[in-house]
Amino acid sequence: MKEKTGAPTAIGEHVTKVQALWKEIYHWPDMPTDGRQWDKLFAEGDTFTIGELKARVMHSPGHTLASITYVIGDAAFVHDTLFQPDFGTARADFPGGDAKVLWNSIQQILALPDATRVFTGHDYMPNGREPQWESTVAEQRERNPHLARVSEAEYIALRHKRDSELPMPKLILHSLQVNARGGQLPEPEANGKRYLKIPLDALEGAAWD
Ligand SMILES: [Fe+2]
């Protein structure tokens, strides 16, 4: 989209921590980790506009170190924090993830006005239902099985148990190499070809399908 439209790209400023983390895991001595791969790094509370729409940035870590929520008008784009209220919340066991930190981020989202429309990053279509992407803060607070009448300690315990049983996404080690570079492929090696690296011991104890 940037190539086609010239639109600037932006991401949460803590992406620099994600870059530093994966730079070690992949052993990329020359990888810049100052976020220069994007045009703009957003901090907590930053505001911007899309046309006449006013948008605000909330730092929402826990699933990753850099996660952010965009609050735009009466909508919140919450990426991987909350999923649909009949499913639950995002896992917190990837490198840089933390269940307690994710709980705090989710509480900040749930503190938005009840009628705020919540747009999630994924949907897992429980019980074979059709895909969904939208709910409200009130629905999340009342119906989300990971949050409704669940304490912080119960949430952390639930997250740890569930995360220990979830297999790693098959392509996580492939995709992070492109994601961490702002969508660019790795630089070509001396023979002019580009490679993805697969570290064999990066995710200790992880389950794979
Ligand atoms: Fe994710």
Side-chain angles (χ1 to χ4, degrees), residues 89-108:
T89 61
R91 63 195 295 177
D93 62 328
F94 296 156
D98 186 303
K100 181 179 171 63
V101 173
L102 181 57
W103 168 267
N104 288 335
S105 294
I106 287 171
Q107 296 311 308
Q108 288 175 26

Side-chain angles (χ1 to χ4, degrees), residues 63-64 67 79-80 83 90-91 94 122 124:
H63 176 67
T64 78
S67 306
H79 64 93
D80 295 358
F83 294 129
R91 63 195 295 177
F94 296 156
H122 301 275
Y124 293 93

Side-chain angles (χ1 to χ4, degrees), residues 143-182:
R143 288 177 31 214
N144 190 308
H146 293 181
L147 302 169
R149 293 164 296 282
V150 174
S151 70
E152 176 177 344
E154 287 166 342
Y155 177 77
I156 292 169
L158 168 162
R159 219 32 294 162
H160 284 163
K161 177 169 188 315
R162 181 168 162 74
D163 290 350
S164 70
E165 295 163 355
L166 291 173
M168 280 290 147
K170 282 193 184 68
L171 297 177
I172 187 172
L173 292 173
H174 305 62
S175 53
L176 256 294
Q177 296 174 65
V178 181
N179 295 350
R181 291 181 165 89

